[in-house]
Amino acid sequence: MTPEPTRTTRTSPLDVPTLDELRRRTSVKWQAFGPDVLPLWVAEMDAAPCEPVVDAVTAALRAGDTGYDHGSAYAEAYARFAQRRWGWSPDTATARTLPDVMLGIVEVLRVLTSPGDAVVVNPPVYPPFYGFTQNEGRRVVAAPLGPDLRLDLAALERAFADATGAAPHGRGAGSGRRAVWLVCNPHNPTGTAHTPAELEAALALAARYGVRVVADEIHAPVTRPGLDGRPATTHRPLLTVPGSDDAVAVVSASKAWNLAGLKAALAVGGPGAAADLRRIPEEAGHGVQHVSVIAHVAALDHGEGWLDAVLAGVERNAHLLTDLLAEHLPAVRYRPGEATYLAWLDARALPDDAGRDPRAWFLDRAGVALEDGRRFGAGGEGHVRLNLATNVDVLTEAVGRLGSSITG
């Protein structure tokens, strides 16, 4: 039976900006490369803005409301969104508003660990997990994802033993050093949405070794809605999973509403982490931008319709990408992820240099900028990350170029 063609109905904010309009943007995505390059690398959306955000920021600027941030508006808006979206009400009383997710993670790591302590990560994973932690003098310990791109409990246990100096299987005392597991939930770059069972088992393992858990949940709202009979995906906030009492999650509206240039984030914790969040110095919040908080609050409170339309476009593009690769680059392996607007492409079966360094090959020979998989650590060799948050024409043209660079 011939499969039905992928639908490309244009009902998403991703389909509004034209290529000419996108090239007039001055952010890094559209300015880092020449005018003939199609940029599908960094995690910026090619989307029309969310109008409630535009209205809120415009009103703030017109009113001169551009001073220092104050109060708990962000925490309260996120709690309302989380309750509607996931049935979860984070503790706003102890939440801390911070300048952005990675700076927030650094502040949490400073409270939970000391220089020389270990931070466990799950490569291939977001590159700043390495740089930011190492710049703080922490030792990065890798617990790679399994071949199925899901959490590997055996690898986690080995990493926790290494991080704490404990005997295998949690037997015997460790070195006395503290350690943190920094988990990307959902996972960037693979798009894996960790299941409640996976998270619960990993939390239990961390507790056995005395490892504290910190989650980057910046992509939490970006899950697959389920179209054309496909299953939907639901994000599971770490702090709703049994065993997360002393865990911390760092969250933001920035990825879901394309607000990377309007930075703001929130650190929330379980009851056992409340004292730790209070230990984050007051000065850590001085870099919070008040207008950014206004933008994020508007997105969380009034931008769900826009978000749902974007998610429909991302899911459409994920399955369109499957069809385009089958037509133009059948040697590239890709399985649509369950979350994020990122696609993780395995190009190792391509011939010669294309398989060894696909990012350089595709940039030089196809004029398409993708993210180099090697930046994500072990398991990233021969891979590239592609940004799905664009319009159908750009995605179609880009994959056609990638195919032509191989076939000549």
Side-chain angles (χ1 to χ4, degrees), residues 223-265:
T223 53
R224 298 292 182 265
L227 298 176
D228 302 330
R230 302 184 185 101
T233 305
T234 301
H235 167 68
R236 183 62 182 265
L238 179 75
L239 297 180
T240 67
V241 178
S244 64
D245 179 81
D246 65 352
V248 175
V250 186
V251 302
S252 177
S254 63
K255 282 292 179 283
W257 281 273
N258 201 35
L259 303 175
L262 289 168
K263 291 178 177 292

Side-chain angles (χ1 to χ4, degrees), residues 12-373:
S12 171
L14 299 175
D15 299 317
V16 175
T18 66
L19 184 56
D20 285 343
E21 289 170 335
L22 291 169
R23 290 201 182 280
R24 289 198 289 272
R25 293 184 175 182
T26 58
S27 62
V28 68
K29 180 177 184 181
W30 286 95
Q31 295 301 316
F33 299 96
D36 296 328
V37 172
L38 291 177
L40 295 177
W41 60 296
V42 72
E44 294 181 23
M45 291 187 191
D46 298 338
C50 177
E51 285 304 319
V53 173
V54 173
D55 292 344
V57 170
T58 301
L61 293 176
R62 285 180 174 161
D65 190 8
T66 54
Y68 296 111
D69 190 60
H70 175 72
S72 58
Y74 194 2
E76 292 165 5
Y78 196 87
R80 290 189 292 269
F81 174 80
Q83 179 59 50
R84 292 192 306 272
R85 206 77 175 178
W86 307 305
W88 170 49
S89 295
D91 182 4
T92 61
T94 59
R96 300 295 301 271
T97 305
L98 297 164
D100 67 18
V101 166
M102 282 311 305
L103 292 179
I105 287 171
V106 165
E107 293 296 341
V108 174
L109 292 180
R110 287 173 176 170
V111 167
L112 298 183
T113 63
S114 301
D117 289 340
V119 175
V120 175
V121 302
N122 306 114
V125 73
Y126 184 50
F129 276 23
Y130 301 97
F132 277 76
T133 55
Q134 289 170 334
N135 287 342
E136 291 299 312
R138 274 60 174 175
R139 179 171 66 96
V140 175
V141 178
L145 298 178
D148 57 357
L149 302 181
R150 308 203 70 87
L151 295 175
D152 182 333
L153 291 179
L156 267 178
E157 181 156 20
R158 288 191 295 270
F160 290 167
D162 180 338
T164 60
H169 310 297
R171 293 192 295 266
S175 64
R177 302 216 68 135
R178 297 182 294 174
V180 160
W181 174 36
L182 179 56
V183 57
C184 201
N185 180 42
H187 194 86
N188 171 10
T190 64
T192 299
H194 306 308
T195 68
E198 289 170 332
L199 291 171
E200 185 172 358
L203 284 165
L205 200 60
R208 187 189 310 166
Y209 282 87
V211 174
R212 296 291 295 276
V213 182
V214 178
D216 171 354
E217 297 195 344
I218 196 171
H219 290 277
V222 188
T223 53
R224 298 292 182 265
L227 298 176
D228 302 330
R230 302 184 185 101
T233 305
T234 301
H235 167 68
R236 183 62 182 265
L238 179 75
L239 297 180
T240 67
V241 178
S244 64
D245 179 81
D246 65 352
V248 175
V250 186
V251 302
S252 177
S254 63
K255 282 292 179 283
W257 281 273
N258 201 35
L259 303 175
L262 289 168
K263 291 178 177 292
L266 196 69
V268 295
D276 298 308
L277 293 179
R278 286 193 293 269
R279 288 168 52 214
I280 295 175
E282 184 263 340
E283 291 79 8
H286 286 187
V288 175
Q289 301 174 39
H290 180 52
V291 174
S292 297
V293 169
I294 290 171
H296 288 225
V297 169
L300 292 163
D301 278 342
H302 306 294
E304 276 187 86
W306 182 94
L307 173 63
D308 288 338
V310 165
L311 297 184
V314 170
E315 179 162 346
R316 173 205 65 195
N317 287 356
H319 294 283
L320 173 60
L321 177 60
T322 300
D323 294 345
L324 292 171
L325 289 172
E327 178 182 356
H328 298 286
L329 275 174
V332 170
R333 297 176 58 195
Y334 165 61
R335 179 178 60 196
E338 302 154 313
T340 81
Y341 52 79
L342 307 167
W344 187 238
L345 308 183
D346 182 349
R348 288 175 294 177
L350 292 177
D352 302 324
D353 289 344
R356 286 190 291 269
D357 189 354
R359 185 263 183 189
W361 178 280
F362 289 140
L363 181 61
D364 295 342
R365 309 289 183 93
V368 177
L370 304 173
E371 196 69 80
D372 189 345

